Amino acid sequence: MTETPANPQPAHVPTLNIANVLTTLRILMVPFFIWALVADEKEYGLMRWVAVAIFAVAMYTDKLDGDLARSRGLITNFGKIADPIADKLLTGSALVMFSILAELPWWITIVILVREWGITLIRFVVIRYGVMAASRGGKLKTVMQAVAIVLYLLPWTHTLEWLGVVAFIVMLLTLAVTVVTGLDYLLKAWQLRAAATRD
C-alpha cells in the first residue's frame, strides 16, 4: 500500500484535508467489504462482485490519498498513522474472511498478519531513532498482496480450477515476499537503533 513520506508536519497543514478524508473513507469501507463477503455466502454471485468493487475503489483511494498528500503538501501526523492502519485493516480483513470462508489456509493468513502488524508496531517503536522508508521489496509486497487478494475475490477463481491454482501460487509467492521483506525491515530497525545509540 502507499506509505506516506516522513517529512515533519508543517504547522499550517490542517488535519482535515482531502488526503486524510480519503484515508478515513478507506477505513469506513472495510465493514461494507466484509458485509459483502458475508452476504455472498460462497455463492460467488453479485455480492462477490460488490466486494471486488469495494476493494478496487479502496485500493484506488490508497494511491490517490498518497499522491495528493505529496503533491499538495498535505502530509500530517494523522495521515502518517492512519494510512498504514487503513491499509492493514483492508488487506487483513480480506485475508481473515478468506480463511473464515475456508478459501485460504489459516496459517497463511496468520503469518501475513503477524508480519504486517508486527512491522507496523516496530515502525512506531523505532520512530524516535528515525524513519524506516518503504523499500522496493516492501512496495513489491504491497502490489503482490493486492493482486493475490483480487484473484481470491474474483468469483471465477472458485469456479475455474486452473484459476484457483494460479491464485494459490500467487498467494504463496506473496507470502514468501512478505516474510523476506519483514525480516529485512527487522534488520533495518536494529541498524537504525544501533546507529542512534552510538551517536
Side-chain angles (χ1 to χ4, degrees):
M1 306 302 163
T2 304
E3 300 201 32
T4 54
N7 300 328
Q9 177 181 347
H12 66 279
V13 178
T15 299
L16 183 60
N17 60 59
I18 184 61
N20 288 343
V21 168
L22 288 172
T23 298
T24 303
L25 177 62
R26 189 158 70 258
I27 294 174
L28 294 176
M29 293 174 75
V30 172
F32 293 97
F33 171 70
I34 294 173
W35 169 77
L37 285 175
V38 172
D40 180 69
E41 295 183 348
K42 296 186 72 172
E43 293 181 0
Y44 308 115
L46 175 61
M47 294 310 298
R48 191 74 175 206
W49 284 111
V50 170
V52 173
I54 293 174
F55 185 81
V57 171
M59 290 301 298
Y60 178 70
T61 67
D62 180 32
K63 179 181 184 304
L64 185 58
D65 66 19
D67 291 343
L68 288 172
R70 286 186 293 268
S71 64
R72 299 188 180 183
L74 300 177
I75 299 171
T76 64
N77 290 332
F78 172 83
K80 293 176 189 177
I81 296 172
D83 186 69
I85 289 176
D87 296 342
K88 303 301 184 290
L89 285 175
L90 181 63
T91 57
S93 64
L95 294 171
V96 169
M97 287 305 302
F98 293 152
S99 293
I100 289 175
L101 295 171
E103 297 173 5
L104 182 69
W106 271 106
W107 67 270
I108 293 180
T109 295
I110 292 170
V111 170
I112 292 179
L113 290 183
V114 168
R115 185 277 191 202
E116 291 294 275
W117 287 101
I119 295 302
T120 298
L121 178 62
I122 288 173
R123 281 178 180 273
F124 289 130
V125 170
V126 303
I127 199 169
R128 73 182 99 174
Y129 306 116
V131 175
M132 291 194 299
S135 64
R136 290 184 179 180
K139 293 176 181 178
L140 174 63
K141 177 269 303 181
T142 296
V143 172
M144 290 187 67
Q145 283 186 2
V147 171
I149 289 173
V150 168
L151 284 174
Y152 267 83
L153 281 174
L154 290 174
W156 302 322
T157 300
H158 308 281
T159 56
L160 299 174
E161 184 177 354
W162 68 269
L163 189 54
V165 172
V166 170
F168 187 65
I169 291 174
V170 172
M171 185 62 78
L172 289 179
L173 292 174
T174 300
L175 175 67
V177 173
T178 300
V179 171
V180 170
T181 55
L183 294 174
D184 181 56
Y185 278 125
L186 284 176
L187 177 60
K188 287 181 178 178
W190 180 81
Q191 291 173 335
L192 194 62
R193 182 182 182 281
T197 54
R198 283 198 304 266
D199 296 338

